[in-house]
Amino acid sequence: MPSRPSLPLRGRHGRGEDPLERTDAWFLANGLSYFVPEKRSEARAALSPRRTVPRLLLVALVAAAGGAALAWVTGQVSAAPAVVLSLVIAATVVYALTVLHARPIVTWALARTVAGLRSLLPLATRALPLLLVFVTFLFINAEVWQLAAELETGALWLVVLLFAVLAVAFLGVRLPEEVDKVDDEVDDAFLVRACAGTPLEAECARLVADPDADPASYATVTGFERANLVLAMVVIQAAQVLLMAGGVLIFFLLFGALTMGVDVQAAWTGQAVDEITKLPYLVQVSVPLGKVSLFLAAFSLLYLAVSTVTDDTYREQFFGRVTRELERAVGVRAVYLALRAERPASGQE
């Protein structure tokens, strides 16, 4: 089934008559904050060792103290590394959203994901059935129940974090290839198509018509700008995969509650029936069931992240909705840089 046409990038063009200033506002409105030279310079300065090392040490000390305290209170040694890793990840995300100006990127990407929820269902019907058939065999396996039931909360927390970090790392390594493909295809027709409806539409037509100008030569995206595009795609991809993994979690909770009685759960986990913690009025929804469902959902998260990037069918559907935005960002940036090159006094980086 052909992918549904994606929505064009939208946003206010900014005030004033200068097309560069209006394009800066357009960049910010469309999740391209690192395309603005001032924001890019601030982010680069924020990553200097002088600013990051003290914060990293402070976060490490707080995380270590919090992990040790929780491990002592709960009696679970595995809680310490889980808390440390979680706090480090949380601090990194907060620093990126605030100091590194990544908030507009993440906000736009999440809004784009919400706007495309209706088209997520056809994709889920392709990606989930085969996965559920495979994972269901694990779900009805006594060894998996024993493994999950024996995991302490901290250890299960670490396993979920491990799968999530691996999924994001895989996306971060593979998605830059999509940026490289797009900027390799840039020509004059590409630029005219990409700049249509943007603050640089008129300037693009002028530069393309000028035999001495070559805006397509600025198409290669590198550095922070490349990271901007990759981050947006990672957030969109990760959000969609997370939603489908959440569907897997709900499915196994319901499936287990309907088919796995407490006696079966006790036999498979090696626990006594009265030792299994259950929800009031929902006796078959137990802690072991929740652990098994969460473990398999985390595994599904990694599987979906890999398959949606490597499988051609999933890849076409996933990227079909963001290709237009990616092309437009690359095209507008090329014309923007060509226009700045005409103004050497404007303070290029």
Side-chain angles (χ1 to χ4, degrees), residues 46-99:
L47 286 177
S48 64
R50 181 176 59 85
R51 297 183 63 177
T52 56
V53 172
R55 289 175 169 82
L56 182 60
L57 292 176
L58 177 61
V59 169
L61 289 175
V62 172
L70 185 60
W72 180 76
V73 171
T74 61
Q76 297 183 14
V77 177
S78 58
V83 170
V84 171
L85 182 58
S86 298
L87 289 179
V88 169
I89 292 175
T92 301
V93 171
V94 171
Y95 191 75
L97 292 177
T98 55
V99 182

Side-chain angles (χ1 to χ4, degrees), residues 35 37 62 135 150 184 228 285 292 297 321 325 341 348:
F35 283 43
V62 172
V135 179
E150 291 298 321
D184 288 342
N228 192 143
V285 181
V292 172
R321 295 192 298 273
E325 285 86 344
Q348 301 178 60

Side-chain angles (χ1 to χ4, degrees), residues 273-286:
V273 173
D274 56 356
E275 293 178 349
I276 296 180
T277 304
K278 303 172 288 290
L279 291 180
Y281 308 108
L282 295 172
V283 294
Q284 293 187 200
V285 181
S286 63

Side-chain angles (χ1 to χ4, degrees), residues 122-197:
L123 176 62
T125 59
R126 279 186 179 272
L128 289 181
L130 183 61
L131 172 65
L132 289 177
V133 169
F134 170 69
V135 179
T136 300
F137 280 103
L138 295 178
F139 183 77
I140 59 176
N141 187 294
E143 285 76 12
V144 174
W145 280 76
Q146 292 173 4
L147 172 65
E150 291 298 321
L151 285 176
E152 295 180 338
T153 303
L156 181 60
W157 187 356
L158 273 177
V159 170
V160 173
L161 285 176
L162 175 63
F163 282 132
V165 169
L166 286 177
V168 172
F170 181 83
L171 294 176
V173 171
R174 293 300 300 269
L175 291 182
E177 298 174 3
E178 301 301 318
V179 179
D180 296 336
K181 288 181 180 179
V182 171
D183 63 27
D184 288 342
E185 298 173 354
V186 175
D187 55 18
D188 289 347
F190 182 106
L191 295 177
V192 172
R193 183 174 66 252
C195 292

